[in-house]
Amino acid sequence: MINKKISVKEIEFNYVEYKQDLYESIKERGVSIPVKVLRDKNGYKCIDGHKRLSILQDLHIETVTIMLKNDFSKAGSVYWGNTRNKH
């Protein structure tokens, strides 16, 4: 996994209603847990963190730390263990 900062506008996510206490917490402290995203040919897609992104959008905060999840769906047999390395 890779952590980096990107613009909230670059992430496709579903706007979700949230509780006021979560809003206040993020407003005071920021986002402490990176938003999990996948990257495809169209950009970034949120897989965990829709509420956090919704709050950031409402607070007009432009950047967020993301955790880019690796997508190994196209990985070949070398990735899945067909190698001499067994550790």
Side-chain angles (χ1 to χ4, degrees):
M1 289 180 273
I2 300 169
N3 287 356
K4 66 181 192 173
K5 260 192 166 179
I6 65 168
S7 170
V8 172
K9 294 177 183 178
E10 292 183 58
I11 306 170
E12 181 182 322
F13 69 97
N14 298 319
Y15 187 90
V16 179
E17 295 295 322
Y18 49 81
K19 294 184 180 180
Q20 189 65 26
D21 59 339
L22 182 58
Y23 175 89
E24 293 299 327
S25 175
I26 290 176
K27 184 177 177 182
E28 290 174 19
R29 298 177 191 93
V31 175
S32 59
I33 301 171
V35 173
K36 292 180 185 172
V37 299
L38 286 176
R39 186 168 190 175
D40 64 11
K41 63 183 176 183
N42 298 320
Y44 298 99
K45 294 187 186 221
C46 178
I47 56 174
D48 182 38
H50 296 275
K51 287 181 188 175
R52 286 172 276 167
L53 289 169
S54 300
I55 293 169
L56 292 175
Q57 179 178 307
D58 289 348
L59 288 171
H60 304 287
I61 295 174
E62 296 182 11
T63 60
V64 64
T65 301
I66 61 163
M67 181 183 298
L68 185 58
K69 300 286 285 182
N70 297 335
D71 179 11
F72 297 112
S73 62
K74 296 178 183 166
S77 62
V78 172
Y79 174 77
W80 295 111
N82 189 15
T83 66
R84 300 171 89 196
N85 241 347
K86 301 298 181 193
H87 57 276

